[in-house]
Amino acid sequence: NAGVTQTPKFQVLKTGQSMTLQCAQDMNHEYMSWYRQDPGMGLRLIHYSVGAGITDQGEVPNGYNVSRSTTEDFPLRLLSAAPSQTSVYFCASSYSGVYGYTFGSGTRLTVV
Amino acid sequence: GENVGLHLPTLSVQEGDNSIINCAYSNSASDYFIWYKQESGKGPQFIIDIRSNMDKRQGQRVTVLLNKTVKHLSLQIAATQPGDSAVYFCAEKPQGGKLIFGQGTELSVKP
């Protein structure tokens, strides 16, 4: 099992550009989520999904879109990148959304 | 706004000593708690968890203590090793809610 795979690992964007951060898991987990991590802060939930076709907003959803067309994939889209979105982004999945979260290795995004 | 210059709490210990990392959680309705370890450049890794009906749980070299009266969680690492150097996060899960992560504590192990 690869676990949770995130791509790319690093990305630099110009203000206003759009891009998609990819997340895939091969553990047949129903629950997937995206977090951002900023210096000196804990992980903050952006969006989450409890299963294919179902998504919901987390704590800091503005500026991001998600979709869940398959159980395996949960891409995060930045619609129009802003410097405030410079962060490290983590995707996580779990079987139930309660126990056993597995995190990807992260995508470090810089918006200039 | 921008969070510039925020520094994590830091704990520095000598190799071989025991480490205690503390966490104050916010929601008295939280019924599940997890400790994660995050090494530089990597995602958080599960260490140990505890449910609210317990006050202590032990793993290999790690023990989690839960004090619901004062909403306090601690992680004890026995015989700390250089490989334990990392940022440690606690997370709480309110009933019916989503995981809430703490700020994190940076553990530095001196050889």
Side-chain angles (χ1 to χ4, degrees), chain A residues 45-81:
Chain A
L45 182 63
I46 304 171
H47 285 286
Y48 65 97
S49 167
V50 298
I54 307 169
T55 63
D56 207 345
Q57 296 181 348
E59 182 186 358
V60 288
N62 292 342
Y64 308 96
N65 270 2
V66 291
S67 60
R68 185 93 180 273
S69 55
T70 67
T71 300
E72 294 77 21
D73 299 296
F74 191 45
L76 178 73
R77 295 184 189 86
L78 279 70
L79 308 172
S80 177

Side-chain angles (χ1 to χ4, degrees), chain B residues 21-71:
Chain B
I21 301 170
N22 296 304
C23 177
Y25 64 92
S26 58
N27 193 327
S28 56
S30 291
D31 58 1
Y32 178 61
F33 305 87
I34 315 171
W35 278 101
Y36 286 93
K37 172 186 180 183
Q38 186 177 22
E39 296 172 282
S40 181
K42 296 184 179 179
Q45 287 180 287
F46 172 91
I47 303 173
I48 191 168
D49 59 1
I50 189 168
R51 300 187 196 191
S52 60
N53 61 351
M54 304 170 69
D55 52 22
K56 180 179 180 179
R57 190 161 187 230
Q58 287 185 291
Q60 188 178 13
R61 277 201 312 118
V62 294
T63 300
V64 55
L65 298 178
L66 175 63
N67 185 331
K68 294 183 288 293
T69 303
V70 295
K71 293 191 287 187

Side-chain angles (χ1 to χ4, degrees), chain A residues 36-49:
Chain A
R36 61 177 288 172
Q37 185 176 39
D38 300 296
M41 300 183 72
L43 294 155
R44 292 185 292 168
L45 182 63
I46 304 171
H47 285 286
Y48 65 97
S49 167

